[in-house]
Amino acid sequence: MDDNTKKGVLNALAHASIDRRRLMQSAGMLGLAAAMAGRFGTGAALAADFDWKKHAGTKLSILMTGDENDHRALADMLPKFTEETGMELEITSPALGALIEKTLQNLKAEKSSFELIEYLGFLTTQQVGGGYYEQLNAYIDNASKTPPDWDIADFLPPAMANVGIFDMATGTVGQGKDIYGIPGLHSGSVIYFYRKDLFEAAGLKPATTWDEFKAAAEKLHSDDVAGCSFIGANDFSLAAVDWYTRFITTGGKLMTGSPKEKNFMPQVNSPEGIGALQMLIDLLPYAPKNVTKYGFAENVDGFSTGKIAQMIFWSTIAGPILNGENSLVADKTGTGPVPAKPGETPRAIQGGWGVAIPKNADPAKKDAAWLALTWMTSKAFNKYEVEKYQIDASRTSAFTDPDLVAKLPYLPDALKAASTAEIIPTSLIPEFFQLNDMMNVEFNAALIGTQDAKTACEKVQKQWEDALRKAGHLA
């Protein structure tokens, strides 16, 4: 997160916190009301005019991802939600492609069928910037509508920048003080997973540079265990994780200029761009034989069953590798920052989701939707989903919870990665997925061997320039 974005996020959080405190005081918050009994054992005190069952009997619907366990965590807790709020919540959770299509249909309709929608941070500009969601500041600052223990400052600043804060006047993510979405149900980035036992037996230390990563892959590769693995299929994360992480940690800068100035120029065919793809090609002899068809499941399953020695991966997707109930190598797996070129800071892409209230949702249900949103983005719920499903947290308190860290020792590494993660510049325009798809097709072709790294990057460069000109981002 760059300095300007960081200042913008802190500004927005500080503004929200100050107004919230002032309003809580004026509402008699300092006098305290009855302790909130039974709510996940928090025992927090309620403002005199705050009532969890204010909207009892209301039926709400949420549209959310069905790909990343968020929906399972929420479904688990629906009985508790109804018990504590008196409301009912229906979950609709399609796969990503169908989710995006259904979201846009609802946002553009006269009336949304859903009071809450979960959206990828990569789509913040398209959906939040499109003016489709309610501004939430007035809810956050109202002590009668927001539980006092909700604690907006506990959300990771990069996550707030990614999905929450948006300056409509300039169309800028992470700038200003206006909040339109709340990080949830998870955020996160990419970390390094490696087999401690294999590294120790071979006299190796965990890789801190890409040269060390390749050397370890070569030394550890055998008929039984692949020396490394990566997303090699024509898949979203081929470009967004494996290529982009190598690209930025070897000095690459994806875009120059800005969409507003119509000089938004890609640098895919730069030496760093070609070099990042060549790194993946050079790893093919030490990867699983079918790695060019590997997506999320193949890598997590392969690592969990002891067939992969090291990889970089979304911590929220690969977290179950550290869960002894799901993995044969939970106690043999170590984690750390992603490798980087000497002199570069280990870092990767900012991922995660936001939850917001559509502007065209039923006005009579918007206050109830906000109450439900605070419930499902609470500290207690965030802790539950991390513990049960190893979903990356959106809150600092979950990443640093002593009980969770004892059970899931990768959490400090995941927190560090989430705190240093970068918003990929192409997500700042609505054409993000279109550009990403182009890149994955050409990069997968290079891995299969039908073209070399330079040709693949040159093709992507041209396709991106054409698309950016057509969209008006490049003169």
Side-chain angles (χ1 to χ4, degrees):
M1 185 164 55
D2 61 43
D3 289 341
N4 287 335
T5 301
K6 189 179 295 183
K7 289 177 183 175
V9 176
L10 295 175
N11 213 14
L13 293 177
H15 180 270
S17 298
I18 291 169
D19 284 358
R20 173 110 171 89
R21 183 163 57 251
R22 185 185 304 122
L23 286 169
M24 284 194 296
Q25 290 171 344
S26 66
M29 181 59 199
L30 294 181
L32 299 180
M36 181 168 57
R39 177 166 161 70
F40 293 99
T42 60
L46 297 179
D49 52 354
F50 181 87
D51 179 8
W52 273 110
K53 293 196 173 181
K54 185 183 303 183
H55 304 289
T58 303
K59 294 183 179 180
L60 301 171
S61 297
I62 181 170
L63 179 62
M64 64 185 301
T65 175
D67 289 335
E68 301 186 27
N69 281 331
D70 298 56
H71 64 304
R72 291 189 175 91
L74 187 56
D76 289 349
M77 302 307 293
L78 285 185
K80 190 73 172 175
F81 171 78
T82 299
E83 175 190 339
E84 294 184 354
T85 67
M87 296 188 286
E88 295 181 19
L89 180 64
E90 182 181 18
I91 299 171
T92 300
S93 52
L96 179 59
L99 171 64
I100 295 172
E101 182 179 357
K102 196 172 187 69
T103 295
L104 291 175
Q105 288 172 352
N106 272 273
L107 294 177
K108 294 177 180 180
E110 183 177 347
K111 182 178 179 181
S112 173
S113 300
F114 301 92
E115 290 76 37
L116 293 164
I117 292 179
E118 186 184 42
Y119 57 93
L120 268 175
F122 305 121
L123 297 172
T124 300
T125 296
Q126 179 195 70
Q127 295 184 16
V128 175
Y132 293 118
Y133 293 119
E134 286 288 323
Q135 186 180 325
L136 301 176
N137 296 62
Y139 289 103
I140 295 167
D141 295 338
N142 191 325
S144 69
K145 295 182 178 181
T146 301
D149 63 338
W150 186 64
D151 190 7
I152 190 171
D154 187 46
F155 289 103
L156 292 170
M160 283 298 303
N162 190 34
V163 303
I165 300 169
F166 198 91
D167 187 337
M168 289 292 181
T170 62
T172 309
V173 173
Q175 298 293 317
K177 62 183 182 181
D178 296 333
I179 299 172
Y180 294 88
I182 302 301
L185 297 180
H186 77 264
S187 301
S189 188
V190 177
I191 61 175
Y192 176 45
F193 291 83
Y194 65 94
R195 283 280 299 278
K196 293 186 293 185
D197 57 331
L198 298 180
F199 273 72
E200 289 170 4
L204 295 172
K205 292 183 178 180
T208 59
T209 69
W210 295 114
D211 287 342
E212 291 173 356
F213 185 93
K214 182 184 176 185
E218 185 173 1
K219 188 166 185 178
L220 296 174
H221 190 70
S222 70
D223 291 339
D224 298 321
V225 181
C228 69
S229 192
F230 50 87
I231 300 286
N234 177 3
D235 177 278
F236 170 83
S237 289
L238 167 56
V241 172
D242 281 290
W243 178 83
Y244 187 66
T245 304
R246 289 167 173 84
F247 175 69
I248 61 172
T249 56
T250 54
K253 183 177 181 181
L254 187 57
M255 307 296 295
T256 60
S258 74
K260 270 188 100 171
E261 300 298 323
K262 301 186 184 301
N263 60 355
F264 203 42
M265 177 63 75
Q267 309 293 314
V268 178
N269 64 344
S270 63
E272 294 83 6
I274 297 168
L277 182 55
Q278 188 62 50
M279 282 186 196
L280 295 174
I281 294 172
D282 291 345
L283 291 172
L284 287 170
Y286 319 114
K289 290 181 180 178
N290 295 320
V291 73
T292 56
K293 298 179 181 179
Y294 270 33
F296 285 170
E298 293 82 3
N299 277 291
V300 174
D301 290 348
F303 203 107
S304 296
T305 53
K307 297 176 183 177
I308 296 170
Q310 58 176 345
M311 64 183 183
I312 65 166
F313 222 77
W314 294 107
S315 53
T316 197
I317 302 296
I321 289 170
L322 279 297
N323 186 329
E325 295 181 6
N326 306 317
S327 171
L328 299 178
V329 296
D331 59 345
K332 301 174 183 177
T333 299
T335 61
V338 298
K341 179 181 177 180
E344 290 287 338
T345 302
R347 64 200 188 281
I349 191 171
Q350 171 69 55
W353 298 78
V355 187
I357 302 170
K359 272 189 177 178
N360 61 344
D362 183 348
K365 292 186 175 183
K366 287 183 178 179
D367 280 2
W370 170 251
L371 190 62
L373 178 50
T374 66
W375 192 96
M376 68 181 67
T377 58
S378 67
K379 293 179 181 180
F381 183 86
N382 207 196
K383 179 178 178 178
Y384 169 78
E385 59 182 339
V386 173
E387 184 170 16
K388 179 69 180 289
Y389 294 102
Q390 292 74 60
I391 294 172
D392 266 353
S394 294
R395 289 179 168 276
T396 303
S397 58
F399 273 119
T400 58
D401 183 275
D403 293 336
L404 289 182
V405 173
K407 295 176 182 177
L408 303 167
Y410 74 95
L411 288 176
D413 289 324
L415 172 59
K416 187 174 182 180
S419 300
T420 58
E422 292 190 359
I423 295 175
I424 190 169
T426 45
S427 70
L428 304 180
I429 58 175
E431 295 77 19
F432 168 73
F433 274 100
Q434 177 189 354
L435 299 179
N436 188 263
D437 287 345
M438 293 173 182
M439 183 174 273
N440 291 318
V441 169
E442 300 300 341
F443 285 3
N444 177 253
L447 291 172
I448 291 171
T450 59
Q451 61 188 0
D452 61 21
K454 186 175 188 298
T455 300
C457 290
E458 291 284 2
K459 284 184 177 180
V460 175
Q461 180 74 20
K462 184 180 186 308
Q463 291 170 24
W464 278 27
E465 287 185 29
D466 290 345
L468 290 166
R469 287 192 177 96
K470 184 176 180 180
H473 305 308
L474 181 63

